[in-house]
């Protein structure tokens, strides 16, 4: 179609038809332009993670308390295996088992010792064979000092054990439970081989 014929056709259109034609052309061009813009590749935003981390770190839930399983046996009302949360003490285990029965020898136990997983709390009774009668403080039959029950004053009477080491022994058994052997005293800060040999025949557990 020649340029002259196009002009003749445009001249023959009314004003309203020309406006409609212009609007149609504008919509067509606008749609084509929008399609072109959308077809262009878009830049991807990259978040830089901190050194040694990730871009997004999920918030973790608070860790659940550690479960301690203990066998409570002996002279209690309901012997059995019980579960406790970390930080429970021997007295808590006895209470969970219904409490001690009349005649229980609770003096033989360190009721304040923290519970350790997989251990047994054996509550003896008075007159039970193999159980020594209760005595005052940390001393036991034979004049030995029980490092699991002795007071700071009694521990300080041992050779080479002063106020600082005596308190260290008490702090250790409070945090870790009763000593299971005399040699375990080497784990206490301030006690070395020489000190242990000096007190070995004077202490018991």
């Amino acid at each position: 179609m020649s340029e002259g014929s196009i002009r003749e056709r445009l001249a023959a259109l009314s004003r309203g038809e020309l406006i409609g034609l212009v609007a149609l052309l504008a919509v067509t061009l606008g749609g084509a332009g929008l399609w072109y813009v959308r077809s262009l590749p878009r830049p991807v935003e990259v978040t830089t993670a901190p050194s040694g981390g990730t871009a997004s770190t999920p918030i973790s839930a608070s860790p659940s308390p550690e479960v301690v399983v203990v066998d409570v046996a002996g002279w209690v009302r309901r012997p059995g295996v019980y579960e406790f949360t970390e930080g429970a003490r021997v007295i808590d285990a006895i209470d969970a088992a219904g409490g001690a029965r009349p005649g229980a020898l609770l003096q033989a136990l360190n009721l304040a010792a923290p519970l350790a997983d997989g251990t047994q709390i054996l509550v003896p009774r008075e007159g039970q064979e193999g159980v020594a009668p209760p005595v005052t403080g940390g001393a036991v039959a034979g004049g030995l000092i029980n490092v699991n029950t002795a007071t700071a004053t009694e521990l300080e009477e041992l050779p080479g054990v002063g106020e600082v080491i005596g308190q260290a022994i008490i702090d250790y058994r409070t945090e870790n439970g009763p000593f299971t052997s005399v040699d375990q005293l080497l784990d206490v800060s301030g006690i070395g081989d020489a000190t242990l040999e000096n007190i070995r025949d004077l202490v018991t557990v």
Side-chain angles (χ1 to χ4, degrees), residues 16 28 35 39 50 60 62 88 91 120 132 146 155 162 166 174 179 186 188 205:
T28 302
W35 174 85
S39 65
S60 59
S62 299
I91 185 62
Q120 182 186 70
N146 188 326
L155 291 171
T174 300
F179 294 95
L186 288 174
V188 177
V205 295

Side-chain angles (χ1 to χ4, degrees), residues 120-173:
Q120 182 186 70
I121 305 300
L122 181 61
V123 180
R125 70 177 186 272
E126 294 178 0
Q128 182 176 349
E129 185 178 353
V131 177
V135 293
T136 304
V140 297
L144 300 180
I145 298 295
N146 188 326
V147 293
N148 286 323
T149 58
T151 64
T153 301
E154 291 169 333
L155 291 171
E156 292 170 18
E157 295 176 358
L158 295 169
V161 177
E163 180 179 353
V164 174
I165 296 180
Q167 186 59 49
I169 293 174
I170 293 176
D171 292 341
Y172 182 92
R173 77 192 187 199

